[in-house]
Amino acid sequence: MSGVDSDLLGTDAGYGIEWDVPAPKSGESIALVLTGGGARAAYQVGVLRAIGSLLEPRRPSPFPIICGTSAGEINAAALASGAGDFRRTVNQLAAVWKQFHARQVYRADTLGVMRTGGRWLGAFFVGGRGRHNPTSLLDNAPLARLLSAMLDLRGIRHSIDKGHLHAVSITASGYTSGESVSFCEGIPELSGWRRARRVGLFCEIGIEHLMASSALPFIFPAVRLNREFFGDGSMRQIAPLSPALHLGARRLLVVGTGRPTQAERRRTDAYPSLAQIAGHALNSIFLDSLETDLERLRRINNTLSLIPEAIRVQNNMALHRVEVLVMLPSRSLADIAAQHTQALPRPIRMLFRGIGAMGRSGANLASYLLFEAPYTRALMQLGYHDAMKRHEEVVEFLGVKPRQRVVRR
């Protein structure tokens, strides 16, 4: 694929499609669900750019409900804050991701890497009895500064008051309780919920919630919210679609950051590197629960289709069919990451080389931490093209009717 800038910044990037966009169908609340994945969340921005190109300029967000987890919550918070003008907000978000550098997310200088690495070594030799035991592999203080400069979270309440937003949720995982907590801000009629290992709490969303939800285990430090420390929201999130449904969604557009694959099991004599094991663990955290929850939703939909509506009403069945559209990468993001690891700052390359993350076998770990423009642009371009190839499904799901279609130039 070529011409990255034209794909990201053009309104239709040569697809030659114009659309007339009516309001969503009455009684159907559409939710946008953005999952986690560290730097992989750049793929979501490409998908959003494609959707924005299908909408009229200055049109409010087509998603009254927005749910984000891990790095997906950064995109979710930006969209919620600027829900009054979807295309402009997405363009602003894309401008940040297309110029990303690792140093904007975590300390990538030699001193910063040596300081955190030295604490790990020191804790190892003294058995964890030191005064300054490590809290994480990397220091993500730069991310807090970036988010504070990038986002005006007061825009969330403004979007709600103007009627452009129904609710937004940011999910984090409590290290003490083991609960998946969705911090929500929305219209007054909504209330929280409690299910097995899942809680919904209403509050004013702040930078601290975003930092907690994106705190990758071991890699970034946990964040204290109220009385508990929280980490990445994808951990123990057994039902990633649940927050959207609790907030009233009847239709879900889910943008994931990994594609389901059935890898061939083959013989190998090489012991897996630390990076390979870590990447496998992160894949389990970020990808498996979404696949399971989508399978569960489809099974429920199929069961409900076999029960006549009259019988459901007669027996007060609260279940209802939920329409879902899933957007997943058409290529392996780990393979793309393996092509761009040299873009990382030298201290991070040295650290990654030591744990085996610079080779193809460790590319899964690199794909979550490669916050560098060559990689994020490649992912945005992939997301844009994947969504545009399925534009007919997207416009049908959003209730968009074509005004004029031009043959691709």
Side-chain angles (χ1 to χ4, degrees), residues 9 27 57 71 117 174 192 326 338 397:
L9 301 180
V326 183
F397 182 85

Side-chain angles (χ1 to χ4, degrees), residues 38-39 102 106 138 216 219-220 344 352 365-371:
Y106 49 81
L138 297 172
L216 291 167
I219 298 173
F220 295 144
L344 286 164
F352 277 19
L365 176 60
S367 71
Y368 291 100
L369 296 173
L370 219 169
F371 291 94

Side-chain angles (χ1 to χ4, degrees), residues 24-40:
K25 300 175 183 178
S26 176
E28 294 187 348
S29 294
I30 305 178
L32 176 66
V33 180
L34 301 174
T35 63
R40 290 180 173 218

Side-chain angles (χ1 to χ4, degrees), residues 89-331:
T89 299
V90 171
N91 286 343
Q92 292 172 344
L93 190 59
V96 174
W97 278 94
K98 72 188 292 286
Q99 300 294 342
F100 240 131
H101 295 287
R103 62 177 180 271
Q104 295 175 288
V105 180
Y106 49 81
R107 288 282 302 273
D109 59 289
T110 302
L111 179 60
V113 173
M114 290 181 61
R115 180 175 297 174
T116 53
R119 286 180 179 176
W120 281 103
L121 288 174
F124 176 79
F125 285 114
V126 301
R129 294 189 295 270
R131 296 179 56 187
H132 301 288
N133 288 325
T135 58
S136 62
L137 179 64
L138 297 172
D139 178 3
N140 65 342
L143 178 60
R145 294 191 291 270
L146 173 66
L147 294 178
S148 297
M150 168 185 165
L151 299 174
D152 182 0
L153 295 179
R154 294 172 299 180
I156 294 178
R157 176 50 53 185
H158 178 77
S159 296
I160 294 170
D161 293 342
K162 290 292 184 179
H164 301 315
L165 183 69
H166 190 73
V168 60
S169 76
I170 305 298
T171 300
S173 181
Y175 277 114
T176 302
S177 65
E179 292 181 325
S180 177
V181 180
S182 295
F183 298 96
C184 307
E185 192 169 351
I187 60 175
E189 292 81 0
L190 295 173
S191 58
W193 63 88
R194 177 173 286 278
R195 298 291 186 271
R197 296 294 182 187
R198 293 181 282 124
V199 179
L201 299 176
F202 275 79
C203 63
E204 182 179 350
I205 301 297
I207 296 297
E208 65 275 15
H209 298 96
L210 307 187
M211 294 297 294
S213 181
S214 59
L216 291 167
F218 299 108
I219 298 173
F220 295 144
V223 177
R224 184 162 191 162
L225 299 173
N226 301 322
R227 63 179 182 274
E228 187 176 6
F229 280 94
F230 286 85
D232 195 285
S234 294
M235 293 187 296
R236 309 201 71 172
Q237 190 183 32
I238 58 176
L241 306 181
S242 171
L245 300 179
H246 279 292
L247 294 173
R250 296 296 179 267
R251 302 162 73 194
L252 309 178
L253 176 58
V254 182
V255 187
T257 58
R259 59 192 186 117
T261 57
Q262 186 64 42
E264 179 183 356
R265 190 161 45 237
R266 59 183 184 273
R267 179 182 178 84
T268 178
D269 296 322
Y271 191 83
S273 66
L274 180 60
Q276 188 174 355
I277 295 173
H280 181 76
L282 290 178
N283 280 349
S284 299
I285 292 173
F286 289 112
L287 307 182
D288 293 352
S289 59
L290 176 61
E291 293 180 28
T292 302
D293 209 18
L294 285 170
E295 181 181 355
R296 183 186 302 117
L297 177 61
R298 289 166 179 145
R299 187 168 60 248
I300 293 174
N301 281 342
N302 184 61
T303 300
L304 288 175
S305 68
L306 302 176
I307 305 174
E309 184 177 356
I311 295 179
R312 298 203 303 266
V313 173
Q314 180 180 351
N315 291 274
N316 295 319
M317 294 181 64
L319 294 175
H320 53 267
R321 180 177 177 82
V322 176
E323 185 179 353
V324 60
L325 177 64
V326 183
M327 305 293 296
L328 298 175
S330 59
R331 294 179 56 198

